[in-house]
Amino acid sequence: FNAAEHATDALLDGAAVTGIFEHGYAQQLSGISTTEPTFVLASSAAASATTASVLVISGGATYRVRSVQADGTGVTLLVLELQ
């Protein structure tokens, strides 16, 4: 993840991390539209992330980690909610 190209710098529980931040659109089964922000980063950088973790996007908002989803290939998806 290269911050000079398309990645974003952030703080995960106070530790500097770099990943890809998406503030994507999601539609629930009931037809209600919402946004579901996510942050994808190296699993090694997310090793201590839990649902109690806090992610602060550089120059942006503060999020609570709602879900930690490691894919087994060295990449982890953090599903976020605005704090």
Side-chain angles (χ1 to χ4, degrees), residues 23-53:
H23 199 274
Y25 170 83
Q27 185 168 353
Q28 306 298 322
L29 291 176
S30 61
I32 298 171
S33 299
T34 64
T35 57
E36 184 173 62
T38 59
F39 193 77
V40 178
L41 69 163
S43 293
S44 59
S48 63
T50 69
T51 56
S53 292

Side-chain angles (χ1 to χ4, degrees), residues 1 10 12 14 17 22 26 38 44 48 55 62-63 73-74 76 79:
F1 300 100
L12 178 60
V17 295
E22 293 283 336
T38 59
S44 59
S48 63
L55 183 79
T62 301
Y63 296 89
T73 66
T76 295
V79 178

